[in-house]
Structure formats: structure tokens, C-alpha cells
Amino acid sequence: MSQEKGWKELVPGGIIVEAGNAKEYKTGDWRTEKPEVNLEGCIHCFFCWAYCPDSAVVVDSENGKMVGFNYDYCKGCGICASICPPKVITMIPEES
Amino acid sequence: MAKIMGFNGNAAVAYAMKQINPDVVAAYPITPQTDCVERFAEYVSEGLVDTEFVTVESEHSAMSACVGAAAAGGRVMTATAANGLALMWEIVYIAASMRLPVVMMVANRALSGNINIHCDHSDTMGARDAGWIQLFSENAQEAYDNLIQAVKIAEDMGVRLPVMVTQDGFIISHELERVEILEDQEVKQFVGPYQPRYPLLDLEHPVTYGPLDLFDYYFEHKRSQIEAIDCSLPVIERVGQEFGKVSGRSYGLLELYRMEDAEYGLVALGSTCGTAKETIDGLREKGKKVGLIKIRCFRPFPKEAIVKAVSPLKGLAVLDRSATFGGFGGPVFTEVRSALYDAESRPLTLDFIYGLGGRDIFQEDIATAFSRIEEAVKTGRVEKPIDYLGLRE
């Protein structure tokens, strides 16, 4: 908490005056389960990328490849694992 | 030479709204406020104002539309009463939390149930902790004057909070009075052009209003909101003085009437202060050293001014036009007595709840309050710290 701002430093009314600053709010620690992908079986269909509500699927757009997950923002909802056509994404408990 | 009009309180407020010419008014009719909004709607239909008038389907929507329009960057007003204010509740808090300078007239009316359309202060007293500045009016003139000042107070860059201007339902809202009005140009100059802060419609500087605010920042935001309303006290006083220069009628946080050598005081809000002044004049003629402390600004609570005014007194009667069920006296009493706790000297203080649901208060009732407090001081005995005026047992 120590690095967070005190009340005198805040914008009145709790208004957010910087566009796109949700990026600074890392939601990855909300997770109880995390997705892991077995890239050997991945068909790079990008379904996980399209469905991810947090844009937390990392892709190599130049080569058209799914690469992995951005765990700073992945909330562990499991939608990617659920919709993956070849079933190569697995949800595993966070602590393991 | 000031222009004189025959106005009831609703008409006076509607006329002030016309002169202010807000960008947006969103309102839903409710007795005894209806007459005010109807009159303003006529100004809109006659093209006398530039206002976008939003006819909403409820008060919850009225305040929601006000919040949206104010966040977008408009100067916004509304009006309501009683159950209408209660239906707005959720959004009333949000308007203050977002620091939106919405101005709302409330024609004070009793909250249901049972259903009642007449005056008491239960509606606005219920909203006293919502974060709005609250100005009470004694008559139609003050309702007009307060509404114009409310715009300037709300929009002050150091304040940026919504302001509620109250007038007693029917007693002020529907009774014809002599009202001195300013010229349109004087009102326009007094309130000045509106400068929105962080308007949503400024596409070059996109902002977010009302985001999720959890345990990490909500508390700090509330603390800054507390600071904002506390710091509005000197602004309310300054605007009251500035209004005096334009109109000849200056306003403070309180109005003290015949308090210079008073031994016994009465605290009241709204139209009852007129009745109290008449009563005090009569009692003074009989040699009683009595005076009135009229609270014009109830939120923020002007603690220091009240302590200064009443601490030299021997006895103080507080009049509350609302009840707090299960509380220790009415809201005015609770605040006044709590403020006095740290004072070096403080008067014996009694609470009198009166006038619920529009029950009339008479000069005899106010004289009774004075005699009760005098008796308590002289005998040193308080049998009932909280009692009722004008109630059948």
C-alpha cells in the first residue's frame, strides 16, 4: 500500500483522467487457476485470443502463432481452455 | 430600482432557473414541486431558455440524467420533493461522489407513510449525509436568492459539489409573496459562464467517471470528499457577501435575530424562522431576552459559527421539523448539541420536534419552547430533553 497515493493527491471525484490506464491495474493476482498450453498440439486457430475477455493471450502476429499467456492480466477464467478446439489448454491450480 | 414580482416560492425558483438558463434540466413532477417544473417547462416551450428539458419517467432517472449531463459538461438543474428525493437516493450520493455541481430545489414535504403532501424536513434531513451542500430558505425571496447563489457555490473550482436549495412545501412553495428580482444580465454576470471540469464530451481528453473503486482507494476518495464539503463553508460565506453587493441582500451561514444580549435562544430552519421572529419581537416587548439562530446552511454544518452564537446563552431550544426514529432527538438537535460538547460554556439545550406532515406551528408554540427552556434553566431540572410542540397526547 505504501507506494499508493494519499487522499490529497487524488483527482477529485475519483475520475480517471488518463485514457487506457487499466493497463496499470494488474489483475493476474485474482487468479486461482492458470491456463497452460501444450504448443505441440496447438493448431494456432486463435479462438483463445478472440475469446479472452482480458486480451491476455499472447500471439506472434508476424508468424501467425499463439505463443502463450500474459499472466499479469489473465484472471484464470478458463474460457480459453473451454473453447480450445484441440483441447491443448489446461487449467491448473495456481499454487502448483 | 429593483423589480418586484408577486411570486410563490415555486415561481421564484422557476424564474431564477430561467435567468440562470441551465444547459439541461431533467425533472419529474411531484407535489409540491410540480408547479416549479411546470413553469420552467413553459419557459422552455416559449423559447425563453436554451435548456434541454428531459422529461424522465421517475426521479431515479431524473437524477441519473442530471449526473450524465453534468459529467458530459453541462450546467444542470432539477427539482423534487419527499418521495421523489427518496427515489433518487442512490444517484443523489453518486452526484456528490463524482463532484458534479448539480443544483436541485427541494420543496420540503413529509416522507410516506402514511402518505402526506405537506411540509416537514424529513426528506432533506434524510439526505443530509449524501454529500450535498444544503441551503434552507425562510421565504420565497430566499428561495430565489439561494438558488442563484447555489450555482456559484456549486461551480466554485474549490467546491464542485451539488447543492440542494430547500423551501418549505406549500408554506413557501405555494404562497404568494413579494419577491425582488435581479435583472437577467445581473444574474448572468453573477453566476458567470460555466467551465466544466473533466467533461466527458471533451474527446481530446477522454476520462472515466465512476470506475470501480475498492479497498485500495475508495477510503481516500471519501476523505477527499469530506475535505471538499468542509472547505465549502468559506465559499458559501463569500458568495453570500458577493450576492449582497448585487442585490442588497447579504447571506451568511446563519442569520442571528435579536441575539446581541439574548439569554435564551431558539434554533430553527426554514419558514418557521419568520414565525419565530414575530414571537421574539412580542417576547422582547415583555422584557424577555430572547433571540433566534436561523441555520441557513445545514450542510456543511457550520459548527464554529453556531458554537460562537449560542455558547454565551443560558438556554437553547432547538426546533426539529423531522424525527429520527430511535435516535437521540432530531437531526438539528443532535448536531447542535454535539457541536457544543467541547465549548467552554454551553447552554442547557432542549429539543422540540414539531410540524410533522404540515402541522402548523404558531407563535404560542414558540413561546412555549422559550418558557420551557427558561423554566429548565431556573429550576435546574430537565424532565424531557426531547419533547413535541403542537402534538395531541
Side-chain angles (χ1 to χ4, degrees):
Chain A
M1 294 283 280
S2 59
Q3 77 283 11
E4 290 171 340
K5 290 177 183 170
W7 66 268
K8 291 175 190 168
E9 304 167 81
L10 301 178
V11 178
I15 296 155
I16 295 174
V17 295
E18 302 150 58
N21 79 341
K23 199 175 178 182
E24 291 166 30
Y25 189 28
K26 295 188 175 166
T27 48
D29 60 358
W30 296 14
R31 212 166 45 229
T32 55
E33 287 187 320
K34 65 175 177 184
E36 279 194 354
V37 60
N38 175 5
L39 286 172
E40 282 178 21
C42 175
I43 58 170
H44 303 286
C45 64
F46 290 175
F47 272 32
C48 54
W49 173 81
Y51 274 85
C52 177
D54 282 291
S55 304
V57 174
V58 183
V59 296
D60 175 353
S61 52
E62 281 183 21
N63 299 309
K65 301 282 184 194
M66 191 278 185
V67 176
F69 301 99
N70 183 339
Y71 292 111
D72 281 347
Y73 302 103
C74 167
K75 295 196 191 93
C77 69
I79 290 173
C80 52
S82 170
I83 55 90
C84 178
K87 299 290 171 206
V88 293
I89 298 174
T90 320
M91 298 303 291
I92 58 168
E94 185 58 40
E95 58 270 23
S96 62
Chain B
M1 181 68 191
K3 200 168 160 190
I4 312 292
M5 301 287 276
F7 275 157
N8 65 24
N10 277 333
V13 167
Y15 200 82
M17 288 168 74
K18 175 173 90 86
Q19 293 182 307
I20 293 160
N21 192 10
D23 296 309
V24 176
V25 168
Y28 190 82
I30 181 166
T31 303
Q33 154 267 37
T34 311
D35 172 39
C36 173
V37 175
E38 278 175 356
R39 287 169 191 265
F40 186 75
E42 279 176 28
Y43 295 138
V44 174
S45 67
E46 288 163 13
L48 298 174
V49 288
D50 307 310
T51 308
E52 180 74 29
F53 187 78
V54 189
T55 51
V56 284
E57 76 281 19
S58 77
E59 284 87 356
H60 190 277
S61 302
M63 187 48 69
S64 299
C66 286
V67 163
R75 178 178 269 162
V76 179
M77 303 179 101
T78 186
T80 193
N83 299 23
L85 179 58
L87 185 54
M88 282 181 181
W89 217 254
E90 177 189 14
I91 318 298
V92 167
Y93 274 77
I94 290 171
S97 302
M98 290 185 181
R99 306 282 301 276
L100 298 171
V102 177
V103 171
M104 170 162 66
M105 186 278 280
V106 180
N108 283 122
R109 162 184 154 182
L111 282 175
S112 299
N114 295 339
I115 197 161
N116 180 298
I117 57 169
H118 290 285
C119 173
D120 71 33
H121 295 162
S122 53
D123 49 4
T124 44
M125 281 300 166
R128 69 189 184 274
D129 296 334
W132 287 55
I133 292 167
Q134 292 185 317
L135 303 177
F136 281 75
S137 317
E138 183 185 323
N139 47 42
Q141 180 72 64
E142 290 194 7
Y144 172 84
D145 293 348
N146 280 337
L147 201 90
I148 294 167
Q149 291 173 68
V151 175
K152 195 158 181 166
I153 295 163
E155 294 175 6
D156 185 281
M157 279 298 183
V159 177
R160 289 283 153 159
L161 282 170
V163 181
M164 219 177 270
V165 172
T166 82
Q167 55 173 326
D168 286 349
F170 288 106
I171 302 166
I172 302 174
S173 69
H174 283 65
E175 286 189 31
L176 202 62
E177 292 182 40
R178 172 194 185 280
V179 177
E180 278 187 32
I181 57 161
L182 299 174
E183 296 294 337
D184 291 356
Q185 193 56 30
E186 289 175 315
V187 174
K188 198 176 169 186
Q189 263 177 1
F190 184 77
V191 299
Y194 180 49
Q195 293 176 319
R197 189 171 63 179
Y198 312 122
L200 280 172
L201 290 181
D202 177 359
L203 302 181
E204 299 296 316
H205 302 94
V207 295
T208 303
Y209 275 81
L212 186 70
D213 195 5
L214 300 179
F215 40 71
D216 51 355
Y217 272 107
Y218 180 89
F219 198 175
E220 279 72 23
H221 283 130
K222 290 298 125 180
R223 177 65 186 87
S224 105
Q225 200 184 329
I226 290 165
E227 189 74 3
I229 193 162
D230 285 348
C231 291
S232 70
L233 276 173
V235 177
I236 297 165
E237 284 187 290
R238 194 194 73 223
V239 171
Q241 290 302 312
E242 287 171 11
F243 189 78
K245 285 181 196 150
V246 181
S247 65
R249 297 180 297 278
S250 295
Y251 287 83
L253 304 169
L254 309 174
E255 181 191 333
L256 303 180
Y257 185 76
R258 304 194 76 166
M259 284 292 290
E260 54 288 343
D261 62 342
E263 294 177 349
Y264 298 95
L266 182 96
V267 173
L269 284 67
S271 63
T272 302
C273 295
T275 316
K277 287 172 183 172
E278 287 286 319
T279 315
I280 286 163
D281 289 348
L283 292 171
R284 283 270 177 182
E285 278 173 24
K286 293 177 190 164
K288 299 282 186 190
K289 290 188 172 177
V290 290
L292 169 73
I293 303 98
K294 177 172 99 181
I295 300 182
R296 171 190 175 231
C297 170
F298 186 72
R299 279 288 182 268
F301 187 71
K303 181 193 168 201
E304 284 173 20
I306 286 179
V307 170
K308 190 175 165 217
V310 308
S311 63
L313 297 171
K314 290 180 181 171
L316 183 67
V318 177
L319 296 193
D320 265 296
R321 201 163 195 154
S322 61
T324 44
F325 305 102
F328 184 61
V332 186
F333 173 74
T334 311
E335 299 265 348
V336 169
R337 224 161 90 129
S338 172
L340 285 168
Y341 189 81
D342 294 324
E344 282 179 24
S345 68
R346 53 181 185 255
L348 199 153
T349 307
L350 301 181
D351 190 17
F352 294 95
I353 293 165
Y354 77 100
L356 302 190
R359 175 69 48 86
D360 277 329
I361 182 156
F362 298 99
Q363 291 195 43
E364 302 84 74
D365 298 319
I366 290 166
T368 299
F370 274 120
S371 65
R372 286 275 306 279
I373 187 73
E374 189 176 347
E375 188 192 335
V377 167
K378 287 186 174 156
T379 60
R381 279 187 25 232
V382 175
E383 284 173 16
K384 286 184 182 172
I386 297 146
D387 209 349
Y388 304 87
L389 289 175
L391 175 77
R392 294 184 303 277
E393 288 298 330

